[in-house]
Amino acid sequence: MELNFDNSFAKELKDFYEFTKADKSTSPKLIKFNDSLAKKLGPEWEKLKSDSGLLIFSGNEAPKGSQSLSQVYSGHQFGGFSPLLGDGRAILLGEVVDKDNIRRDIQLKGSGRTIFSRGGDGKSALGPVLREYLVSEAMHSLNIPTTRALAAVSSGDDVYRERVLPGGILTRVALSHIRVGTFQYASTTGDIEKIKALSDYSINRHYKSLLPKKEKYIEFFESVCDSQINLISKWMGIGFIHGVMNTDNMTISGETIDYGPCAFMDRYNPNTFFSSIDTQGRYAYSNQPLILSWNLARFAETLIPLIDKNEQNAIEILTQKISLIQNKYEKAWLKVMSEKIGIINIKDGDLDLINNLLDIMKNEKADFTLVFRYLADFIIGKEYLLINLFDNSKKINEWINNWKNRIEKEGKFDKSLCIKMKKINPLYIPRNHLVEHALDEAVSNDNYKPFHNLLSYVTSPFDEISNSKEYTLPAPITDKPYKTFCGT
Ligand code: AMP
Ligand code: MG
């Protein structure tokens, strides 16, 4: 099978990878193929919902034109630096320029050992493959920049974790897989030419308009900051907790990547974290904006030699840029949150209005997703939906009066506002208990129906479907807090 590969990373960044072949799968099955994404990639990709597609997605046949490789990177993991990480269980098949003229990486994740596997087996269990498929496609449908899922297969091979599990492979599509950690690797080599090559490649691929700029490396840093500020503010707006915001899991393109122990918050509490390995809550919901700055500061350190021959000058310039991040983030967040409550032109007092709502939600442990969705329904007379989320209706009623007054200062509290708000505030998110149920049925009972059902809801998150109440509700409160485990 010949696909329209055009492999610039293999050609231009020879110091950043090792050619690697995928392992073969014993008896692969295609669990899910993403027709709409394939369509964007081109007509030959649409034909891969077939046996010839399965050969590729299972690692059993290298498509013509692919130059499969594993990329090297370093990374700060939970604050500690690992100089050599790299793709331990993934290979890049190659790049494709899609119908919109956008270059995209096609990667197999879970396809066997690479030289970066260290003690790992290079495999992925089927559960985490399905989780990444569900959550990344949900994020895309929520208009959040993200890598995407083209195919999920079960390999037919056993994967050994705490218990024996069925193996799986995800075919992932990304603007690129270049990470802050890739720059950290370049920096560990101490070779300025390598840092420059990686920067020039990244600018050309992701921030082309900077190419002619005199101070292109400073602007490159700022652009990556802006992309990540935009991303994290959007995560915060939907209650998304990534779970492992290590520098190797932060992209230069500004896409969400590496869905491991990620989860959506249900009852609002800014200190929420789910990951079993995040014992200190370093990557808790409300810490994500602080980690954003921390990670970008690590990125800045790698660029010092390109900014100014005088190291002190370079550090001063970058420090000044880093000092702007929190302020820019707060502006971006305010915009995201204002739009969620129907405000377009932000005025004095709007920040307090939003914070007051969040305070009430926190005290009342109200469901993050439903509060915003039901604010929209409140406008069209379905007040009970919102009020039922709160035990004490006095506080929320006071807040609603203030909100209504604020909206009426510049617009109408009417159906058109409701419709606008429903295009921003989802009804269906990949709720943790639903995801767990879908994965469990697939893995333990070979029953993929809940997975396909859930996927259809979360990839159409704004459009209400009748008789879907169970897909909208948070899990019942139990004594056992929800925990996620790394997707390995
Ligand atoms: P992640 O949790 O996906 O961000 O992975 C962190 C690092 O561990 C990356 O370098 C991965 O390639 C590596 N890794 C994770 N799981 C495995 C595995 N099963 N075998 C080999 N390497 C792995
Ligand atoms: Mg990772």
Short mmCIF file of all heavy atoms in Angstrom, two decimals, residues 131-193:
data_model
loop_
_atom_site.label_atom_id
_atom_site.label_comp_id
_atom_site.label_asym_id
_atom_site.label_seq_id
_atom_site.Cartn_x
_atom_site.Cartn_y
_atom_site.Cartn_z
N ARG A 131 -8.86 4.40 25.83
CA ARG A 131 -9.01 5.64 26.61
C ARG A 131 -8.49 6.83 25.80
O ARG A 131 -9.15 7.85 25.67
CB ARG A 131 -8.23 5.55 27.93
CG ARG A 131 -8.23 6.86 28.72
CD ARG A 131 -7.21 6.80 29.83
NE ARG A 131 -7.67 5.95 30.90
CZ ARG A 131 -8.44 6.38 31.91
NH1 ARG A 131 -8.81 7.64 31.97
NH2 ARG A 131 -8.83 5.56 32.85
N GLU A 132 -7.29 6.68 25.22
CA GLU A 132 -6.75 7.80 24.43
C GLU A 132 -7.63 8.08 23.22
O GLU A 132 -7.84 9.24 22.86
CB GLU A 132 -5.29 7.52 24.00
CG GLU A 132 -4.74 8.64 23.13
CD GLU A 132 -3.23 8.81 23.12
OE1 GLU A 132 -2.53 8.22 23.97
OE2 GLU A 132 -2.74 9.57 22.25
N TYR A 133 -8.15 7.02 22.59
CA TYR A 133 -9.05 7.23 21.45
C TYR A 133 -10.25 8.08 21.89
O TYR A 133 -10.56 9.13 21.29
CB TYR A 133 -9.53 5.89 20.88
CG TYR A 133 -10.09 6.01 19.48
CD1 TYR A 133 -9.48 5.39 18.39
CD2 TYR A 133 -11.22 6.79 19.23
CE1 TYR A 133 -9.99 5.54 17.10
CE2 TYR A 133 -11.73 6.93 17.95
CZ TYR A 133 -11.11 6.29 16.89
OH TYR A 133 -11.60 6.45 15.62
N LEU A 134 -10.90 7.64 22.95
CA LEU A 134 -12.11 8.33 23.45
C LEU A 134 -11.82 9.78 23.84
O LEU A 134 -12.52 10.71 23.43
CB LEU A 134 -12.62 7.63 24.71
CG LEU A 134 -13.65 6.53 24.59
CD1 LEU A 134 -13.84 5.86 25.95
CD2 LEU A 134 -14.98 7.08 24.08
N VAL A 135 -10.80 9.94 24.67
CA VAL A 135 -10.59 11.27 25.24
C VAL A 135 -10.02 12.24 24.21
O VAL A 135 -10.45 13.39 24.13
CB VAL A 135 -9.71 11.23 26.52
CG1 VAL A 135 -9.60 12.61 27.14
CG2 VAL A 135 -10.29 10.24 27.53
N SER A 136 -9.10 11.77 23.35
CA SER A 136 -8.55 12.72 22.37
C SER A 136 -9.61 13.13 21.36
O SER A 136 -9.69 14.30 20.98
CB SER A 136 -7.28 12.18 21.69
OG SER A 136 -7.55 11.05 20.90
N GLU A 137 -10.46 12.19 20.95
CA GLU A 137 -11.51 12.57 20.00
C GLU A 137 -12.57 13.45 20.68
O GLU A 137 -13.14 14.35 20.04
CB GLU A 137 -12.13 11.32 19.36
CG GLU A 137 -11.21 10.70 18.31
CD GLU A 137 -10.81 11.67 17.20
OE1 GLU A 137 -11.69 12.21 16.54
OE2 GLU A 137 -9.59 11.87 17.01
N ALA A 138 -12.82 13.22 21.96
CA ALA A 138 -13.73 14.11 22.69
C ALA A 138 -13.14 15.52 22.75
O ALA A 138 -13.83 16.51 22.48
CB ALA A 138 -13.96 13.59 24.11
N MET A 139 -11.86 15.61 23.05
CA MET A 139 -11.21 16.93 23.14
C MET A 139 -11.29 17.65 21.79
O MET A 139 -11.58 18.84 21.73
CB MET A 139 -9.74 16.76 23.55
CG MET A 139 -9.56 16.26 24.96
SD MET A 139 -9.89 17.53 26.20
CE MET A 139 -8.24 18.21 26.35
N HIS A 140 -11.05 16.92 20.72
CA HIS A 140 -11.14 17.54 19.39
C HIS A 140 -12.56 18.09 19.17
O HIS A 140 -12.74 19.21 18.69
CB HIS A 140 -10.79 16.52 18.31
CG HIS A 140 -11.04 17.02 16.93
ND1 HIS A 140 -10.22 17.97 16.33
CD2 HIS A 140 -12.03 16.77 16.05
CE1 HIS A 140 -10.71 18.26 15.14
NE2 HIS A 140 -11.80 17.55 14.94
N SER A 141 -13.55 17.31 19.56
CA SER A 141 -14.94 17.74 19.37
C SER A 141 -15.30 18.91 20.27
O SER A 141 -16.24 19.65 19.99
CB SER A 141 -15.89 16.57 19.62
OG SER A 141 -15.51 15.48 18.82
N LEU A 142 -14.56 19.07 21.36
CA LEU A 142 -14.77 20.21 22.26
C LEU A 142 -13.98 21.45 21.80
O LEU A 142 -13.89 22.44 22.52
CB LEU A 142 -14.33 19.84 23.68
CG LEU A 142 -15.22 18.81 24.41
CD1 LEU A 142 -14.49 18.21 25.61
CD2 LEU A 142 -16.53 19.45 24.86
N ASN A 143 -13.38 21.33 20.62
CA ASN A 143 -12.60 22.43 20.03
C ASN A 143 -11.32 22.75 20.81
O ASN A 143 -10.93 23.91 20.93
CB ASN A 143 -13.45 23.70 19.86
CG ASN A 143 -14.66 23.43 19.00
OD1 ASN A 143 -14.55 22.77 17.98
ND2 ASN A 143 -15.83 23.91 19.43
N ILE A 144 -10.73 21.72 21.36
CA ILE A 144 -9.47 21.90 22.09
C ILE A 144 -8.35 21.31 21.25
O ILE A 144 -8.47 20.17 20.79
CB ILE A 144 -9.55 21.15 23.45
CG1 ILE A 144 -10.83 21.55 24.12
CG2 ILE A 144 -8.27 21.34 24.26
CD1 ILE A 144 -10.83 22.03 25.45
N PRO A 145 -7.26 22.07 21.03
CA PRO A 145 -6.17 21.52 20.21
C PRO A 145 -5.66 20.20 20.81
O PRO A 145 -5.38 20.12 22.00
CB PRO A 145 -5.09 22.60 20.28
CG PRO A 145 -5.82 23.87 20.59
CD PRO A 145 -6.99 23.45 21.45
N THR A 146 -5.54 19.20 19.98
CA THR A 146 -5.14 17.88 20.48
C THR A 146 -4.62 17.00 19.35
O THR A 146 -4.99 17.19 18.19
CB THR A 146 -6.34 17.16 21.14
OG1 THR A 146 -5.92 15.86 21.56
CG2 THR A 146 -7.54 17.01 20.22
N THR A 147 -3.78 16.04 19.73
CA THR A 147 -3.48 14.95 18.81
C THR A 147 -4.77 14.16 18.63
O THR A 147 -5.67 14.24 19.46
CB THR A 147 -2.42 14.00 19.39
OG1 THR A 147 -2.94 13.38 20.57
CG2 THR A 147 -1.14 14.76 19.75
N ARG A 148 -4.83 13.40 17.55
CA ARG A 148 -6.08 12.67 17.29
C ARG A 148 -5.84 11.18 17.12
O ARG A 148 -4.70 10.73 17.05
CB ARG A 148 -6.76 13.26 16.05
CG ARG A 148 -7.14 14.72 16.28
CD ARG A 148 -8.10 15.22 15.25
NE ARG A 148 -9.36 14.47 15.26
CZ ARG A 148 -10.29 14.58 14.35
NH1 ARG A 148 -10.13 15.40 13.34
NH2 ARG A 148 -11.40 13.86 14.43
N ALA A 149 -6.93 10.43 17.04
CA ALA A 149 -6.82 8.99 16.91
C ALA A 149 -7.37 8.58 15.55
O ALA A 149 -8.50 8.91 15.21
CB ALA A 149 -7.63 8.32 18.02
N LEU A 150 -6.53 7.89 14.78
CA LEU A 150 -6.98 7.43 13.47
C LEU A 150 -7.51 5.99 13.54
O LEU A 150 -8.45 5.64 12.85
CB LEU A 150 -5.82 7.50 12.45
CG LEU A 150 -6.14 7.03 11.04
CD1 LEU A 150 -7.19 7.92 10.37
CD2 LEU A 150 -4.88 6.98 10.18
N ALA A 151 -6.89 5.18 14.39
CA ALA A 151 -7.33 3.79 14.48
C ALA A 151 -6.93 3.20 15.82
O ALA A 151 -5.91 3.57 16.39
CB ALA A 151 -6.70 2.96 13.35
N ALA A 152 -7.77 2.28 16.30
CA ALA A 152 -7.41 1.49 17.48
C ALA A 152 -7.52 0.02 17.09
O ALA A 152 -8.52 -0.39 16.50
CB ALA A 152 -8.37 1.78 18.63
N VAL A 153 -6.47 -0.74 17.36
CA VAL A 153 -6.53 -2.18 17.10
C VAL A 153 -6.20 -2.95 18.37
O VAL A 153 -5.48 -2.46 19.24
CB VAL A 153 -5.55 -2.63 15.98
CG1 VAL A 153 -5.76 -1.86 14.69
CG2 VAL A 153 -4.10 -2.51 16.41
N SER A 154 -6.74 -4.15 18.46
CA SER A 154 -6.27 -5.07 19.49
C SER A 154 -5.26 -5.97 18.79
O SER A 154 -5.45 -6.34 17.62
CB SER A 154 -7.43 -5.88 20.08
OG SER A 154 -8.03 -6.66 19.08
N SER A 155 -4.17 -6.27 19.48
CA SER A 155 -3.07 -6.94 18.79
C SER A 155 -3.19 -8.46 18.83
O SER A 155 -2.57 -9.16 18.03
CB SER A 155 -1.74 -6.53 19.43
OG SER A 155 -1.72 -6.95 20.79
N GLY A 156 -3.96 -8.96 19.80
CA GLY A 156 -4.02 -10.41 19.97
C GLY A 156 -2.88 -10.94 20.83
O GLY A 156 -2.78 -12.13 21.09
N ASP A 157 -1.99 -10.03 21.26
CA ASP A 157 -0.87 -10.44 22.11
C ASP A 157 -1.13 -10.05 23.56
O ASP A 157 -1.83 -9.06 23.82
CB ASP A 157 0.41 -9.75 21.64
CG ASP A 157 0.81 -10.22 20.26
OD1 ASP A 157 0.91 -11.44 20.07
OD2 ASP A 157 0.96 -9.35 19.37
N ASP A 158 -0.56 -10.81 24.46
CA ASP A 158 -0.69 -10.48 25.88
C ASP A 158 0.32 -9.41 26.27
O ASP A 158 1.44 -9.38 25.76
CB ASP A 158 -0.42 -11.72 26.75
CG ASP A 158 -1.55 -12.73 26.64
OD1 ASP A 158 -2.66 -12.31 26.24
OD2 ASP A 158 -1.32 -13.90 26.95
N VAL A 159 -0.12 -8.54 27.19
CA VAL A 159 0.78 -7.54 27.74
C VAL A 159 0.81 -7.79 29.24
O VAL A 159 -0.23 -7.98 29.86
CB VAL A 159 0.25 -6.12 27.41
CG1 VAL A 159 1.03 -5.07 28.15
CG2 VAL A 159 0.34 -5.86 25.91
N TYR A 160 2.03 -7.80 29.81
CA TYR A 160 2.14 -8.17 31.22
C TYR A 160 2.26 -6.92 32.08
O TYR A 160 3.24 -6.19 32.01
CB TYR A 160 3.35 -9.11 31.42
CG TYR A 160 3.14 -10.40 30.66
CD1 TYR A 160 3.54 -10.53 29.33
CD2 TYR A 160 2.46 -11.47 31.25
CE1 TYR A 160 3.30 -11.69 28.61
CE2 TYR A 160 2.21 -12.64 30.54
CZ TYR A 160 2.63 -12.74 29.22
OH TYR A 160 2.37 -13.89 28.52
N ARG A 161 1.23 -6.63 32.87
CA ARG A 161 1.27 -5.53 33.83
C ARG A 161 1.09 -6.17 35.21
O ARG A 161 1.68 -7.21 35.44
CB ARG A 161 0.16 -4.51 33.51
CG ARG A 161 0.35 -3.85 32.14
CD ARG A 161 1.60 -2.94 32.08
NE ARG A 161 1.79 -2.30 30.78
CZ ARG A 161 2.62 -2.72 29.83
NH1 ARG A 161 3.37 -3.79 30.02
NH2 ARG A 161 2.74 -2.07 28.68
N GLU A 162 0.26 -5.58 36.10
CA GLU A 162 0.03 -6.27 37.37
C GLU A 162 -0.67 -7.61 37.10
O GLU A 162 -0.58 -8.54 37.87
CB GLU A 162 -0.85 -5.45 38.34
CG GLU A 162 -0.18 -4.21 38.88
CD GLU A 162 -0.48 -2.99 38.04
OE1 GLU A 162 -1.64 -2.86 37.57
OE2 GLU A 162 0.43 -2.18 37.81
N ARG A 163 -1.41 -7.62 35.96
CA ARG A 163 -1.99 -8.87 35.51
C ARG A 163 -1.83 -8.94 33.99
O ARG A 163 -1.39 -7.96 33.37
CB ARG A 163 -3.46 -8.97 35.94
CG ARG A 163 -4.32 -7.85 35.46
CD ARG A 163 -5.68 -7.84 36.18
NE ARG A 163 -6.44 -6.68 35.81
CZ ARG A 163 -7.49 -6.69 34.98
NH1 ARG A 163 -7.91 -7.81 34.47
NH2 ARG A 163 -8.14 -5.57 34.69
N VAL A 164 -2.17 -10.05 33.42
CA VAL A 164 -2.04 -10.19 31.96
C VAL A 164 -3.21 -9.47 31.30
O VAL A 164 -4.37 -9.67 31.69
CB VAL A 164 -2.05 -11.68 31.55
CG1 VAL A 164 -1.82 -11.81 30.05
CG2 VAL A 164 -0.98 -12.43 32.31
N LEU A 165 -2.89 -8.61 30.33
CA LEU A 165 -3.93 -7.82 29.67
C LEU A 165 -3.82 -7.97 28.16
O LEU A 165 -2.73 -8.24 27.64
CB LEU A 165 -3.74 -6.33 30.03
CG LEU A 165 -3.95 -5.95 31.50
CD1 LEU A 165 -3.42 -4.54 31.75
CD2 LEU A 165 -5.43 -6.04 31.86
N PRO A 166 -4.93 -7.77 27.46
CA PRO A 166 -4.83 -7.78 26.00
C PRO A 166 -4.08 -6.54 25.51
O PRO A 166 -4.25 -5.44 26.06
CB PRO A 166 -6.29 -7.76 25.53
CG PRO A 166 -7.07 -7.22 26.69
CD PRO A 166 -6.32 -7.56 27.93
N GLY A 167 -3.27 -6.71 24.48
CA GLY A 167 -2.48 -5.59 23.94
C GLY A 167 -3.26 -4.81 22.90
O GLY A 167 -4.24 -5.30 22.32
N GLY A 168 -2.83 -3.57 22.68
CA GLY A 168 -3.49 -2.74 21.66
C GLY A 168 -2.49 -1.77 21.05
O GLY A 168 -1.41 -1.53 21.60
N ILE A 169 -2.84 -1.23 19.92
CA ILE A 169 -2.01 -0.20 19.27
C ILE A 169 -2.93 0.94 18.83
O ILE A 169 -3.99 0.70 18.25
CB ILE A 169 -1.27 -0.77 18.03
CG1 ILE A 169 -0.36 -1.94 18.45
CG2 ILE A 169 -0.46 0.31 17.33
CD1 ILE A 169 0.30 -2.65 17.28
N LEU A 170 -2.49 2.15 19.13
CA LEU A 170 -3.23 3.33 18.69
C LEU A 170 -2.47 3.97 17.53
O LEU A 170 -1.25 4.11 17.60
CB LEU A 170 -3.32 4.34 19.85
CG LEU A 170 -4.10 5.62 19.51
CD1 LEU A 170 -5.59 5.36 19.64
CD2 LEU A 170 -3.70 6.76 20.44
N THR A 171 -3.17 4.35 16.48
CA THR A 171 -2.54 5.16 15.45
C THR A 171 -2.92 6.61 15.72
O THR A 171 -4.09 6.97 15.75
CB THR A 171 -2.99 4.75 14.03
OG1 THR A 171 -2.71 3.36 13.87
CG2 THR A 171 -2.25 5.55 12.97
N ARG A 172 -1.88 7.38 15.99
CA ARG A 172 -2.09 8.75 16.46
C ARG A 172 -1.67 9.73 15.37
O ARG A 172 -0.67 9.53 14.69
CB ARG A 172 -1.25 8.95 17.72
CG ARG A 172 -1.30 10.33 18.30
CD ARG A 172 -0.93 10.29 19.76
NE ARG A 172 0.50 10.26 19.99
CZ ARG A 172 1.04 10.31 21.21
NH1 ARG A 172 0.27 10.37 22.28
NH2 ARG A 172 2.33 10.27 21.37
N VAL A 173 -2.42 10.80 15.26
CA VAL A 173 -2.14 11.84 14.26
C VAL A 173 -1.88 13.14 15.01
O VAL A 173 -2.67 13.52 15.89
CB VAL A 173 -3.33 11.99 13.29
CG1 VAL A 173 -3.08 13.09 12.28
CG2 VAL A 173 -3.60 10.66 12.57
N ALA A 174 -0.77 13.81 14.69
CA ALA A 174 -0.40 15.03 15.43
C ALA A 174 0.21 16.05 14.49
O ALA A 174 0.78 15.69 13.45
CB ALA A 174 0.62 14.67 16.51
N LEU A 175 0.12 17.31 14.88
CA LEU A 175 0.80 18.36 14.10
C LEU A 175 2.29 18.10 14.08
O LEU A 175 2.98 18.40 13.13
CB LEU A 175 0.49 19.74 14.67
CG LEU A 175 -0.90 20.29 14.37
CD1 LEU A 175 -1.11 21.64 15.05
CD2 LEU A 175 -1.11 20.43 12.86
N SER A 176 2.82 17.58 15.19
CA SER A 176 4.15 16.99 15.26
C SER A 176 4.27 16.40 16.65
O SER A 176 3.39 16.61 17.50
CB SER A 176 5.28 18.01 15.02
OG SER A 176 5.61 18.70 16.22
N HIS A 177 5.33 15.64 16.87
CA HIS A 177 5.56 15.09 18.21
C HIS A 177 6.74 15.79 18.88
O HIS A 177 7.37 15.23 19.78
CB HIS A 177 5.78 13.58 18.14
CG HIS A 177 4.52 12.81 17.90
ND1 HIS A 177 3.96 12.64 16.66
CD2 HIS A 177 3.67 12.20 18.78
CE1 HIS A 177 2.85 11.94 16.76
NE2 HIS A 177 2.63 11.66 18.04
N ILE A 178 7.04 17.00 18.43
CA ILE A 178 8.15 17.74 19.05
C ILE A 178 7.67 18.31 20.37
O ILE A 178 6.60 18.93 20.45
CB ILE A 178 8.65 18.85 18.11
CG1 ILE A 178 9.09 18.23 16.78
CG2 ILE A 178 9.79 19.63 18.75
CD1 ILE A 178 9.39 19.25 15.71
N ARG A 179 8.45 18.06 21.39
CA ARG A 179 8.05 18.39 22.77
C ARG A 179 9.04 19.37 23.37
O ARG A 179 10.17 19.52 22.87
CB ARG A 179 8.06 17.10 23.61
CG ARG A 179 7.24 15.98 23.01
CD ARG A 179 7.83 14.61 23.35
NE ARG A 179 7.17 13.53 22.59
CZ ARG A 179 6.14 12.83 23.01
NH1 ARG A 179 5.68 13.01 24.22
NH2 ARG A 179 5.58 11.91 22.26
N VAL A 180 8.65 20.00 24.48
CA VAL A 180 9.63 20.77 25.25
C VAL A 180 10.82 19.85 25.55
O VAL A 180 11.98 20.24 25.45
CB VAL A 180 9.00 21.33 26.55
CG1 VAL A 180 10.07 21.86 27.49
CG2 VAL A 180 7.98 22.42 26.21
N GLY A 181 10.51 18.59 25.86
CA GLY A 181 11.56 17.61 26.14
C GLY A 181 12.50 17.37 24.97
O GLY A 181 13.66 17.01 25.18
N THR A 182 12.03 17.54 23.73
CA THR A 182 12.92 17.39 22.57
C THR A 182 13.98 18.50 22.61
O THR A 182 15.16 18.27 22.33
CB THR A 182 12.12 17.46 21.26
OG1 THR A 182 10.87 16.77 21.42
CG2 THR A 182 12.89 16.86 20.11
N PHE A 183 13.55 19.70 22.96
CA PHE A 183 14.51 20.82 23.09
C PHE A 183 15.46 20.58 24.26
O PHE A 183 16.63 20.93 24.20
CB PHE A 183 13.76 22.15 23.25
CG PHE A 183 13.30 22.69 21.92
CD1 PHE A 183 12.14 22.21 21.33
CD2 PHE A 183 14.04 23.63 21.24
CE1 PHE A 183 11.73 22.66 20.08
CE2 PHE A 183 13.65 24.09 19.99
CZ PHE A 183 12.49 23.60 19.41
N GLN A 184 14.93 19.99 25.33
CA GLN A 184 15.81 19.71 26.46
C GLN A 184 16.88 18.69 26.07
O GLN A 184 18.03 18.79 26.48
CB GLN A 184 14.98 19.19 27.66
CG GLN A 184 14.12 20.30 28.26
CD GLN A 184 13.32 19.79 29.45
OE1 GLN A 184 12.40 19.00 29.30
NE2 GLN A 184 13.69 20.24 30.64
N TYR A 185 16.50 17.74 25.21
CA TYR A 185 17.50 16.78 24.73
C TYR A 185 18.57 17.52 23.92
O TYR A 185 19.78 17.32 24.13
CB TYR A 185 16.85 15.67 23.88
CG TYR A 185 17.91 14.84 23.21
CD1 TYR A 185 18.62 13.89 23.93
CD2 TYR A 185 18.26 15.06 21.87
CE1 TYR A 185 19.65 13.17 23.34
CE2 TYR A 185 19.29 14.35 21.27
CZ TYR A 185 19.98 13.42 22.01
OH TYR A 185 21.01 12.73 21.43
N ALA A 186 18.10 18.38 23.00
CA ALA A 186 19.07 19.13 22.17
C ALA A 186 20.04 19.88 23.07
O ALA A 186 21.25 19.93 22.82
CB ALA A 186 18.32 20.09 21.25
N SER A 187 19.49 20.44 24.12
CA SER A 187 20.31 21.24 25.04
C SER A 187 21.33 20.36 25.79
O SER A 187 22.47 20.79 26.01
CB SER A 187 19.35 21.93 26.02
OG SER A 187 20.05 22.79 26.85
N THR A 188 20.94 19.13 26.13
CA THR A 188 21.89 18.26 26.85
C THR A 188 23.11 17.91 25.99
O THR A 188 24.16 17.56 26.51
CB THR A 188 21.27 16.90 27.29
OG1 THR A 188 20.85 16.20 26.13
CG2 THR A 188 20.11 17.07 28.25
N THR A 189 22.95 17.99 24.66
CA THR A 189 24.09 17.65 23.79
C THR A 189 25.15 18.76 23.86
O THR A 189 26.30 18.55 23.48
CB THR A 189 23.68 17.49 22.31
OG1 THR A 189 23.27 18.78 21.81
CG2 THR A 189 22.56 16.47 22.14
N GLY A 190 24.74 19.96 24.31
CA GLY A 190 25.67 21.08 24.39
C GLY A 190 26.07 21.61 23.01
O GLY A 190 26.97 22.42 22.89
N ASP A 191 25.38 21.14 21.97
CA ASP A 191 25.74 21.52 20.60
C ASP A 191 24.72 22.54 20.08
O ASP A 191 23.58 22.20 19.78
CB ASP A 191 25.74 20.24 19.75
CG ASP A 191 26.12 20.50 18.30
OD1 ASP A 191 26.14 21.68 17.89
OD2 ASP A 191 26.39 19.52 17.59
N ILE A 192 25.16 23.76 19.99
CA ILE A 192 24.26 24.85 19.58
C ILE A 192 23.66 24.61 18.19
O ILE A 192 22.52 24.98 17.92
CB ILE A 192 24.98 26.23 19.68
CG1 ILE A 192 24.03 27.35 19.28
CG2 ILE A 192 26.24 26.28 18.94
CD1 ILE A 192 24.55 28.74 19.56
N GLU A 193 24.43 23.92 17.33
CA GLU A 193 23.92 23.65 15.97
C GLU A 193 22.68 22.75 16.04
O GLU A 193 21.76 22.87 15.23
CB GLU A 193 25.00 23.00 15.09
CG GLU A 193 26.10 23.97 14.68
CD GLU A 193 25.56 25.28 14.08
OE1 GLU A 193 24.63 25.22 13.26
OE2 GLU A 193 26.06 26.36 14.48
#
